Amino acid sequence: MEDQREYIQKVCREGDSDFGLPYKIIPKQPISVNMSRSALRNVYLMEFHPSLAVAARIPEALKHAYWELYHVHKPDTVTEMIVMERKLLDCAVREWDRMPAMGTSYSAQVQKDLFSDVFVEDPLFICGIAHSLMEQEDDVSSRKPKKEKHVDTVKLMGRLMEALTVRHRLMDAAWEAEILSKLYRRMSIDIGFDEYHLFLRFVQFEFATHKDDAGKPPPVFITAIQEDDTTVDRFVPNNLYLGVHELDEGHVGRFSFRSRDGVLQIMKSKSLENLQVILMTQVVHKNCLIASVQLADVCLPARDDIMVGQKSMLTVEETKSEKSSTTAMTGTSMATQGNTLASKLTSVQMTKGRSPEAFVSIQLEKVPSRDLMLNDYLAQKQKMGMILKNPEEVEKLKRSLLRDFCRRFMNRMSQYSLRSQIIAYYNSLLGLLREFPNIRDTYFMLGEPNEFHKKRKMDDVAGLTPDPRNMKKRPRRVLSQDGTTVLNIWFIPHHSEALIMYKRMEDEQCCRALGFHLQIVSALHDIVQYLCAHSKLGSSHARLGSRKMEFVSADWGGTEGIGAELREIQKQIDNLEEKTSPEHIATCLSMRREVMFLEYDTSVRFSMRDTFLSTGNVNAYRTITKNIHFALPALSNVDVPSLFCTYFNVPEPFEARDFRAMELYPWRSFIARNGPYPLHFWQWQQIEYNMQMCLSGLKDVDRHVANGEILGVSLLMEDVLQSGYHDMSNITADDDSELEQDLSKSQSIKGTPKPSRPGTSLSKADSTKDLPQEGSGGKLVPKKQLSRTQQPIESYKLLKLFLMLWKRLEVFKAEWGQRKLSTEEINNSVLYRDFCKLYKTEILFPILQSVARRYGQGELYEGMVSDVEPLVAPQGASEIEIKMRQLVKLCESLEEHMIHEVQKKLSRELNLLLTERAREEGALPTDLWKKPAMKESFTIARPHIAEQFSTQLFTDIKETDTEYIFRKDHFNSCLLHLDGAVMARERSNFESYTMYYENLLRQHHQLLYQKEQELKQVRDQLRSAQNDTLVEVQCQLADQSHDLLMEITALRAKVAEMREISLTQERDMRERIKEEYDSLVQNLFASAFDLKAKFDEFREDLHNDVKSKISEVRSEAVMDMAKLKERGGGLTDEEMLQRNLSKAHQIREIQKENHSLNVLMLKMKAMNNWKQKHTKEMVSARLTEARRSCDRSKKQCIEIRLVAEEEVILRRQQLVALRKAFSEISMECSDAKKEIEKETKVKEEKSHAAMQKARSQRQLEIARQANMEKIISELEMKEKELHSLSDEHHKVSKLQQMSSDKVKKEAEHIRKHLTHERGLKLDAFSRVDELQTQIYDIESGMFSRAQTSFGYPASVATSYKSKPRSASPSKHRALSRGTMSSSGIWPPPIIWPPNRAMTPDVAGYYHHPNNVDLSKIQRPKTVAGRLRSRIADQLINELDVPDTHETIMQLEQLQFQNLR
């Protein structure tokens, strides 16, 4: 705002009267526009800034950026969407605050010549240039005819406007190139390349050398440069340069908008062509940067892992891409050799996440075209020879070479643009199919990274050859290697393959193949988008909330419907005449896409809305009407203007899509029809959003109705295909004669005029232009039963014709209905029923009768038709024919209505004119001037100002044959009377207007007072009702709050209990398990102890048995030993043996006793263990029961405590509420008491005032009667005094008159006496002057004789004698008067003639040829001059005329004082 104010102040420094300049800002009364308080700053009341209109496009740009981010990051919840949008807005504000000035990255000279606003941004300077150029043109073409002068002027202004427009476009292109250069540098570093690939070293034409390898394209695989970069120039300048400065600086690239001379130089035709070439090179450079950045951007890896190929391989890394891309990360290129390079590329990919094959070296792309241009220049230089000595011829040659360079380079860079679009479409398609994995895996084939070098022979044209012995897979290519054969449209190549396909072909052939590829994939992408979006329309989002929808409704087709449509597409391709032709397949898919979106548009815009209105569902009708206003234009081919074409619209009456506009205004037409950002990818993902937006807000039941309408339109289209083409040529001007005869009666009854002509050919050419024609007669070829599968292109042409015809018919129907029902919109069921009834009766039924008679079924449509009975088309009649006849009928009705309205308007205007001319009354014809909206009528007297003026003017006039002559005073008197009459008329009008306005204000004041009283009463009632409602609502809220508090308390207790249970659940489970297994453990312990006891007993028994066996063995051994000894005869150790045996028996007895004791001890130990176990079980059971009872008691205690606390809180709240209510009631009571006291006091004061007023009135009456007599007497006395004073005043006035006459006579006498004296003095002065002249003559004669006596030459003396005398007094006086008046002082002072010099002029002596010094012989001067000056001063003082008026006034004052 501040910049605009400074700009307007600078522009309007000389006023704002010139056409086209902005209005000067009046800094008074700041206001806020459209709201009570301005969000940014206030503006002045008369402040307008049309150049800020582009600010209204900022929200649209932010919305576009938001949707880009949305499709990249795909937030799952509403909170994430809001956070993302907030970050976007913060980023936008930050960028806005930090935005540098335009062109800061360019060199200082470029900033001065192009971006400087010193001269060219000032409209006054540009207007001055235009005026000077027009003056020059007028001087040159002064003898040309006037028409040629106008043509030359228009051409001149056109050149000036073209120069300014080209500068604007050049600045935009340079600014965009500056931003893109920063992105390109960062991108090149991220990929692993250096930034010098952006720049091209300047080579002058004059110093260029011929290159044999000129035009050699860069390597197919850009990664080869990383290994060998000797072909790249490492030139990196300090600043950016314009695109033309990389090619030429001396001739074409020289321009300047900084000064007047620079602009005048550009205005020349050759310089303007140079400027256009500069713009071309800069735009080409900008487009090159856009293509490079987009290509690298769309080749980013996907953020989600996807299935790759048939092996179901996952991507290496999951990243967050900057754009909507779903391709996998590529590996190293097959063309690069060596493990070192492979490891380098792998590391770059893992760190940066970008594919190096996607990099575009602008330097390497420019060099071939630049070398070809320089070679062409050298060849032309040899041919032209001396012609190039002329600088204009050099500029002309360079311009043509630069244009050729731009065409070659743009043809080369268009390949990268096409590749980026193809990859972007495939990325979007993969992102869409990620939600439908079954469709992706069943119908599509996904490419693998670097698959291009793994292709087999069967992946080319050979793969299409059928082989009955083997089952082949489809080729893994979309088009063949030469781009002339379609192999498999269901193959989705990896972006590494899309980057190098068709790259070995020629540039033109490569662009052609990529163009066909792009047409096929774009149409297929849109079709799949539509099918997937259509399958989701039946899924209600109300049940999902913020979750992602993971299913589709079967009612809307589901995944089976998508698969069926895709299979149908393949069948249609197989049935084409040339089923492998890219052009035919692209045409088929494009037409199918158009028909699909037209079908959906027709269903939503007309069928659904009509159904909702017919069923009375007005809410659904309004919802869908509101939605389609925003959604359907985005699904159609409506022209969407760019965000930057606010001031560059296509001039009317052209539109952006007109071919004529494209020829005359190509750039304006381009930016006015290709979306908000014409060079950016279209937001394809919005198809699903817009389709769902059409049906948003509908209930589930209404969605089923919408689904039925879409199916109904599809069935109707199938019927149209079954009927096929019909001969429409019979709908001509001579047709429907029977229809006219049948309708003549109804028309005469209803009063509708007959059509101006029987038929019309409107829309026939447009409707049938795409259909096949037969010969030159223009008749359609009759066909029957077209099939989408067998004849796809013909079928879609017919369906497109039908849908376009239907849309036109609905538009005319709506207009006809609104005109018939006299309403602006048919938006309710009542109006719709009336419309249907009228349309059926007046349009549809007569047309069906006519068609039925043509088919021989006229008896089926005889008689009147009821309102509820549906009308059925005759058997064999085509829907297209019926709709065509309806459209023709509606067009004729519209033409009749327009003609009738024009006739009515002409008749009304003519009647008004005749009536006004024939009127002879004295009032104005206000009734003829009234507009239809005026209801009141009033009479105004007719003014006769002009008649009176003419009558008065012609009263005193002299008439001749050729002219009228009147006196000046007579004309002035007539004008005076005219002025009086006009002022009287204006006064009368003003009085009438003020009277009317006052009455109107008084009436409105009364109405306003009445409304205010009513409003006050209503407000009081509303306030009382609100108070009652508030009390009731508060009571209900209190009850509900109490219930809710109780429920919350119970829930809190339950939550606390559940929380405690959850905390102690594990412990309780362990205790429960312990309790369950405790008895088992005890039993196990008891069993273990029993077993141990039994083992101990068994051990004791075993020991006892062993010992008994040992004793027995010993005894037997002793006996055996004794027997042996007896045999041997030895008796020495027998006693010892017996003794040992006895001891053994004793020990054995002791062991037996010990054994019995051990057994007894073990039994006692087992009994003790059993008793102890039983006792522990009893104690643990009792302890568990006691613990449980304790826990139950604690819970009950806590519950009782919580309930008590809640009751205490409730009681406290109730107490607080009661106290508050009591305080409010007490305050209200005190207020009521105060009001009652105030009212009583006011009443008492009013009564007291009334009494005082009555008492004062009585006293005033008494005083008034008493004073009346006194006043009357005083008036009589004052009247007598007034009479006496008037007599005295009369006498004084007479005396004053006499004295004034006397004074005037004396003054006249004195004036005459002074005049006589002045004449005498002037005569004396002239006499003195004559005497002085005689004295001078005598002295000059004596002096001349003296000179001759001294011997001076005679010539000197003669020169003195020949000098003229002093001029006469009159001449001197005139000279002096002229000199003083020229000084600027007025009135000029009176200067008397100068004093005559008493000595002659001796100036000639100083110029004597002998250089004789004669100054010594001059006669000394006298003082006569001073004497004459004193005499003149005295005479002038005496001649001063006294001020007689002042003297007279003084005398009158003295006389008046004497009288007093």
Side-chain angles (χ1 to χ4, degrees), residues 611-641:
T611 302
F612 289 141
L613 276 183
S614 61
T615 55
N617 193 351
V618 181
N619 293 329
Y621 169 81
R622 292 176 180 173
T623 301
I624 203 169
T625 303
K626 187 185 300 181
N627 293 337
I628 64 176
H629 176 71
F630 303 97
L632 284 185
L635 295 175
S636 63
N637 58 352
V638 177
D639 294 338
V640 180

Side-chain angles (χ1 to χ4, degrees), residues 40-41 53 83 746 751 834 852 1167 1185 1446 1452:
L40 299 176
R41 65 171 63 244
V83 171
S746 61
D834 296 340
M1167 181 60 71
E1185 186 66 27
E1446 185 177 357
E1452 289 181 353

Side-chain angles (χ1 to χ4, degrees), residues 396-420:
K396 182 178 179 181
L397 177 59
K398 288 185 177 181
R399 282 198 301 269
S400 63
L401 293 177
L402 288 175
R403 291 193 184 98
D404 295 338
F405 166 82
C406 292
R407 282 192 287 269
R408 290 196 197 99
F409 181 56
M410 200 62 217
N411 190 23
R412 178 73 185 174
M413 292 307 300
S414 61
Q415 300 178 21
Y416 297 103
S417 178
L418 292 172
R419 293 181 195 278
S420 63

